[in-house]
mmCIF file of all heavy atoms in Angstrom:
data_model
loop_
_atom_site.group_PDB
_atom_site.id
_atom_site.type_symbol
_atom_site.label_atom_id
_atom_site.label_comp_id
_atom_site.label_asym_id
_atom_site.label_seq_id
_atom_site.Cartn_x
_atom_site.Cartn_y
_atom_site.Cartn_z
ATOM 1 N N GLN A 26 -2.666 -21.227 16.412
ATOM 2 C CA GLN A 26 -1.494 -21.471 15.565
ATOM 3 C C GLN A 26 -0.291 -21.800 16.417
ATOM 4 O O GLN A 26 0.504 -22.692 16.104
ATOM 5 C CB GLN A 26 -1.202 -20.257 14.718
ATOM 6 C CG GLN A 26 0.018 -20.430 13.815
ATOM 7 C CD GLN A 26 0.393 -19.132 13.074
ATOM 8 O OE1 GLN A 26 -0.187 -18.075 13.286
ATOM 9 N NE2 GLN A 26 1.399 -19.248 12.208
ATOM 10 N N ILE A 27 -0.126 -21.085 17.526
ATOM 11 C CA ILE A 27 1.028 -21.319 18.399
ATOM 12 C C ILE A 27 0.947 -22.719 19.014
ATOM 13 O O ILE A 27 1.929 -23.467 19.071
ATOM 14 C CB ILE A 27 1.073 -20.245 19.512
ATOM 15 C CG1 ILE A 27 1.443 -18.897 18.852
ATOM 16 C CG2 ILE A 27 2.102 -20.623 20.596
ATOM 17 C CD1 ILE A 27 1.393 -17.719 19.852
ATOM 18 N N ARG A 28 -0.261 -23.149 19.431
ATOM 19 C CA ARG A 28 -0.396 -24.444 20.009
ATOM 20 C C ARG A 28 -0.101 -25.559 18.993
ATOM 21 O O ARG A 28 0.445 -26.601 19.338
ATOM 22 C CB ARG A 28 -1.812 -24.604 20.614
ATOM 23 C CG ARG A 28 -2.073 -23.760 21.827
ATOM 24 C CD ARG A 28 -3.374 -24.167 22.525
ATOM 25 N NE ARG A 28 -3.581 -23.413 23.761
ATOM 26 C CZ ARG A 28 -4.278 -22.283 23.867
ATOM 27 N NH1 ARG A 28 -4.863 -21.788 22.765
ATOM 28 N NH2 ARG A 28 -4.407 -21.659 25.023
ATOM 29 N N GLN A 29 -0.537 -25.348 17.759
ATOM 30 C CA GLN A 29 -0.277 -26.333 16.743
ATOM 31 C C GLN A 29 1.228 -26.490 16.493
ATOM 32 O O GLN A 29 1.732 -27.600 16.337
ATOM 33 C CB GLN A 29 -1.014 -25.956 15.433
ATOM 34 C CG GLN A 29 -2.494 -26.124 15.501
ATOM 35 C CD GLN A 29 -3.197 -25.714 14.231
ATOM 36 O OE1 GLN A 29 -2.583 -25.207 13.299
ATOM 37 N NE2 GLN A 29 -4.535 -25.941 14.120
ATOM 38 N N VAL A 30 1.917 -25.362 16.377
ATOM 39 C CA VAL A 30 3.350 -25.393 16.132
ATOM 40 C C VAL A 30 4.095 -25.925 17.353
ATOM 41 O O VAL A 30 5.091 -26.606 17.230
ATOM 42 C CB VAL A 30 3.889 -24.029 15.742
ATOM 43 C CG1 VAL A 30 5.385 -23.990 15.644
ATOM 44 C CG2 VAL A 30 3.269 -23.524 14.408
ATOM 45 N N LEU A 31 3.619 -25.633 18.537
ATOM 46 C CA LEU A 31 4.204 -26.108 19.778
ATOM 47 C C LEU A 31 4.290 -27.647 19.761
ATOM 48 O O LEU A 31 5.324 -28.203 20.177
ATOM 49 C CB LEU A 31 3.391 -25.591 20.958
ATOM 50 C CG LEU A 31 3.911 -25.920 22.357
ATOM 51 C CD1 LEU A 31 5.139 -25.125 22.651
ATOM 52 C CD2 LEU A 31 2.828 -25.634 23.393
ATOM 53 N N ALA A 32 3.223 -28.259 19.342
ATOM 54 C CA ALA A 32 3.161 -29.750 19.163
ATOM 55 C C ALA A 32 3.512 -30.498 20.455
ATOM 56 O O ALA A 32 4.263 -31.443 20.475
ATOM 57 C CB ALA A 32 4.119 -30.179 18.048
ATOM 58 N N VAL A 33 2.897 -30.056 21.582
ATOM 59 C CA VAL A 33 3.063 -30.778 22.833
ATOM 60 C C VAL A 33 1.711 -31.419 23.108
ATOM 61 O O VAL A 33 0.710 -30.741 23.401
ATOM 62 C CB VAL A 33 3.473 -29.858 23.974
ATOM 63 C CG1 VAL A 33 3.456 -30.587 25.311
ATOM 64 C CG2 VAL A 33 4.847 -29.207 23.748
ATOM 65 N N PRO A 34 1.612 -32.739 23.065
ATOM 66 C CA PRO A 34 0.320 -33.429 23.186
ATOM 67 C C PRO A 34 -0.186 -33.396 24.651
ATOM 68 O O PRO A 34 0.570 -33.384 25.631
ATOM 69 C CB PRO A 34 0.637 -34.858 22.799
ATOM 70 C CG PRO A 34 2.070 -35.022 23.068
ATOM 71 C CD PRO A 34 2.720 -33.696 22.824
ATOM 72 N N GLN A 35 -1.490 -33.316 24.782
ATOM 73 C CA GLN A 35 -2.149 -33.425 26.095
ATOM 74 C C GLN A 35 -1.843 -34.797 26.685
ATOM 75 O O GLN A 35 -1.837 -35.813 26.018
ATOM 76 C CB GLN A 35 -3.655 -33.243 25.983
ATOM 77 C CG GLN A 35 -4.074 -31.824 25.499
ATOM 78 C CD GLN A 35 -3.918 -30.802 26.579
ATOM 79 O OE1 GLN A 35 -4.400 -30.977 27.688
ATOM 80 N NE2 GLN A 35 -3.171 -29.723 26.292
ATOM 81 N N GLY A 36 -1.544 -34.787 27.969
ATOM 82 C CA GLY A 36 -1.299 -36.043 28.654
ATOM 83 C C GLY A 36 0.178 -36.452 28.700
ATOM 84 O O GLY A 36 0.518 -37.405 29.408
ATOM 85 N N GLN A 37 1.022 -35.738 27.979
ATOM 86 C CA GLN A 37 2.446 -36.052 28.033
ATOM 87 C C GLN A 37 2.992 -35.651 29.371
ATOM 88 O O GLN A 37 2.777 -34.474 29.854
ATOM 89 C CB GLN A 37 3.195 -35.346 26.903
ATOM 90 C CG GLN A 37 4.701 -35.689 26.916
ATOM 91 C CD GLN A 37 5.411 -35.036 25.716
ATOM 92 O OE1 GLN A 37 4.934 -34.105 25.130
ATOM 93 N NE2 GLN A 37 6.612 -35.543 25.409
ATOM 94 N N PRO A 38 3.769 -36.458 30.083
ATOM 95 C CA PRO A 38 4.385 -36.032 31.317
ATOM 96 C C PRO A 38 5.230 -34.772 31.163
ATOM 97 O O PRO A 38 5.988 -34.649 30.151
ATOM 98 C CB PRO A 38 5.258 -37.226 31.741
ATOM 99 C CG PRO A 38 4.555 -38.400 31.093
ATOM 100 C CD PRO A 38 4.037 -37.870 29.765
ATOM 101 N N LEU A 39 5.088 -33.825 32.075
ATOM 102 C CA LEU A 39 5.782 -32.536 31.936
ATOM 103 C C LEU A 39 7.309 -32.717 31.812
ATOM 104 O O LEU A 39 7.966 -32.001 31.025
ATOM 105 C CB LEU A 39 5.444 -31.634 33.137
ATOM 106 C CG LEU A 39 4.108 -30.923 33.141
ATOM 107 C CD1 LEU A 39 3.888 -30.207 34.461
ATOM 108 C CD2 LEU A 39 4.021 -29.941 31.973
ATOM 109 N N LEU A 40 7.852 -33.626 32.559
ATOM 110 C CA LEU A 40 9.315 -33.849 32.552
ATOM 111 C C LEU A 40 9.786 -34.280 31.195
ATOM 112 O O LEU A 40 10.951 -34.128 30.833
ATOM 113 C CB LEU A 40 9.717 -34.864 33.625
ATOM 114 C CG LEU A 40 9.826 -34.363 35.052
ATOM 115 C CD1 LEU A 40 10.234 -35.463 35.983
ATOM 116 C CD2 LEU A 40 10.799 -33.168 35.130
ATOM 117 N N ARG A 41 8.912 -34.887 30.389
ATOM 118 C CA ARG A 41 9.325 -35.397 29.055
ATOM 119 C C ARG A 41 9.090 -34.368 27.958
ATOM 120 O O ARG A 41 9.358 -34.723 26.815
ATOM 121 C CB ARG A 41 8.574 -36.694 28.763
ATOM 122 C CG ARG A 41 8.929 -37.818 29.776
ATOM 123 C CD ARG A 41 8.014 -39.026 29.649
ATOM 124 N NE ARG A 41 8.212 -39.697 28.377
ATOM 125 C CZ ARG A 41 7.559 -40.821 28.032
ATOM 126 N NH1 ARG A 41 6.675 -41.369 28.884
ATOM 127 N NH2 ARG A 41 7.793 -41.379 26.886
ATOM 128 N N VAL A 42 8.621 -33.207 28.282
ATOM 129 C CA VAL A 42 8.433 -32.151 27.284
ATOM 130 C C VAL A 42 9.792 -31.500 26.968
ATOM 131 O O VAL A 42 10.472 -31.021 27.883
ATOM 132 C CB VAL A 42 7.428 -31.088 27.763
ATOM 133 C CG1 VAL A 42 7.327 -29.940 26.758
ATOM 134 C CG2 VAL A 42 6.055 -31.732 27.954
ATOM 135 N N ASP A 43 10.161 -31.487 25.729
ATOM 136 C CA ASP A 43 11.391 -30.808 25.298
ATOM 137 C C ASP A 43 11.053 -29.319 25.145
ATOM 138 O O ASP A 43 10.671 -28.874 24.079
ATOM 139 C CB ASP A 43 11.880 -31.445 23.997
ATOM 140 C CG ASP A 43 13.128 -30.759 23.455
ATOM 141 O OD1 ASP A 43 13.702 -29.862 24.129
ATOM 142 O OD2 ASP A 43 13.547 -31.076 22.294
ATOM 143 N N THR A 44 11.249 -28.554 26.212
ATOM 144 C CA THR A 44 10.866 -27.157 26.161
ATOM 145 C C THR A 44 11.767 -26.353 25.200
ATOM 146 O O THR A 44 11.239 -25.424 24.555
ATOM 147 C CB THR A 44 10.988 -26.519 27.592
ATOM 148 O OG1 THR A 44 12.331 -26.748 28.080
ATOM 149 C CG2 THR A 44 9.960 -27.123 28.528
ATOM 150 N N GLU A 45 13.053 -26.701 25.060
ATOM 151 C CA GLU A 45 13.895 -25.977 24.152
ATOM 152 C C GLU A 45 13.456 -26.216 22.709
ATOM 153 O O GLU A 45 13.387 -25.243 21.888
ATOM 154 C CB GLU A 45 15.361 -26.417 24.363
ATOM 155 C CG GLU A 45 16.337 -25.659 23.463
ATOM 156 C CD GLU A 45 17.777 -26.047 23.722
ATOM 157 O OE1 GLU A 45 18.043 -26.706 24.751
ATOM 158 O OE2 GLU A 45 18.655 -25.653 22.921
ATOM 159 N N GLY A 46 13.170 -27.419 22.364
ATOM 160 C CA GLY A 46 12.713 -27.766 20.997
ATOM 161 C C GLY A 46 11.416 -27.108 20.730
ATOM 162 O O GLY A 46 11.172 -26.605 19.614
ATOM 163 N N ALA A 47 10.517 -27.135 21.685
ATOM 164 C CA ALA A 47 9.184 -26.508 21.496
ATOM 165 C C ALA A 47 9.329 -25.003 21.263
ATOM 166 O O ALA A 47 8.669 -24.415 20.425
ATOM 167 C CB ALA A 47 8.302 -26.794 22.682
ATOM 168 N N ALA A 48 10.211 -24.385 22.055
ATOM 169 C CA ALA A 48 10.439 -22.949 21.875
ATOM 170 C C ALA A 48 10.997 -22.634 20.479
ATOM 171 O O ALA A 48 10.622 -21.602 19.849
ATOM 172 C CB ALA A 48 11.358 -22.409 22.981
ATOM 173 N N GLN A 49 11.922 -23.450 20.002
ATOM 174 C CA GLN A 49 12.479 -23.265 18.654
ATOM 175 C C GLN A 49 11.416 -23.367 17.575
ATOM 176 O O GLN A 49 11.417 -22.613 16.575
ATOM 177 C CB GLN A 49 13.597 -24.258 18.434
ATOM 178 C CG GLN A 49 14.858 -23.986 19.257
ATOM 179 C CD GLN A 49 15.914 -25.078 19.057
ATOM 180 O OE1 GLN A 49 15.661 -26.098 18.435
ATOM 181 N NE2 GLN A 49 17.098 -24.857 19.646
ATOM 182 N N ARG A 50 10.439 -24.283 17.782
ATOM 183 C CA ARG A 50 9.403 -24.427 16.784
ATOM 184 C C ARG A 50 8.506 -23.200 16.740
ATOM 185 O O ARG A 50 8.140 -22.697 15.645
ATOM 186 C CB ARG A 50 8.576 -25.653 17.055
ATOM 187 C CG ARG A 50 9.314 -26.975 16.841
ATOM 188 C CD ARG A 50 8.346 -28.162 16.864
ATOM 189 N NE ARG A 50 7.743 -28.402 18.143
ATOM 190 C CZ ARG A 50 8.287 -29.130 19.139
ATOM 191 N NH1 ARG A 50 9.472 -29.692 18.957
ATOM 192 N NH2 ARG A 50 7.645 -29.303 20.296
ATOM 193 N N VAL A 51 8.186 -22.648 17.903
ATOM 194 C CA VAL A 51 7.348 -21.456 17.957
ATOM 195 C C VAL A 51 8.104 -20.271 17.437
ATOM 196 O O VAL A 51 7.546 -19.453 16.693
ATOM 197 C CB VAL A 51 6.896 -21.199 19.431
ATOM 198 C CG1 VAL A 51 6.126 -19.898 19.530
ATOM 199 C CG2 VAL A 51 6.000 -22.349 19.930
ATOM 200 N N ALA A 52 9.378 -20.157 17.743
ATOM 201 C CA ALA A 52 10.183 -19.036 17.243
ATOM 202 C C ALA A 52 10.334 -19.059 15.719
ATOM 203 O O ALA A 52 10.712 -18.034 15.147
ATOM 204 C CB ALA A 52 11.585 -19.038 17.898
ATOM 205 N N ALA A 53 10.057 -20.161 15.080
ATOM 206 C CA ALA A 53 10.164 -20.263 13.626
ATOM 207 C C ALA A 53 8.981 -19.605 12.955
ATOM 208 O O ALA A 53 9.008 -19.392 11.729
ATOM 209 C CB ALA A 53 10.273 -21.707 13.207
#
C-alpha cells in the first residue's frame, strides 16, 4: 500500500524524484 501511494516508478532517475511530494502522499 505504501509503495502504491508513493507512486515512484522504477527506473526514474533518483535526482528527479520529488521526495517531499512523495512523503506527503504517504502521510495522507
Side-chain angles (χ1 to χ4, degrees):
Q26 179 185 6
I27 292 174
R28 290 191 176 95
Q29 288 179 354
V30 173
L31 184 70
V33 174
Q35 295 287 306
Q37 182 177 17
L39 281 174
L40 281 179
R41 297 171 66 178
V42 174
D43 178 6
T44 55
E45 183 177 348
Q49 289 175 353
R50 291 192 294 273
V51 174

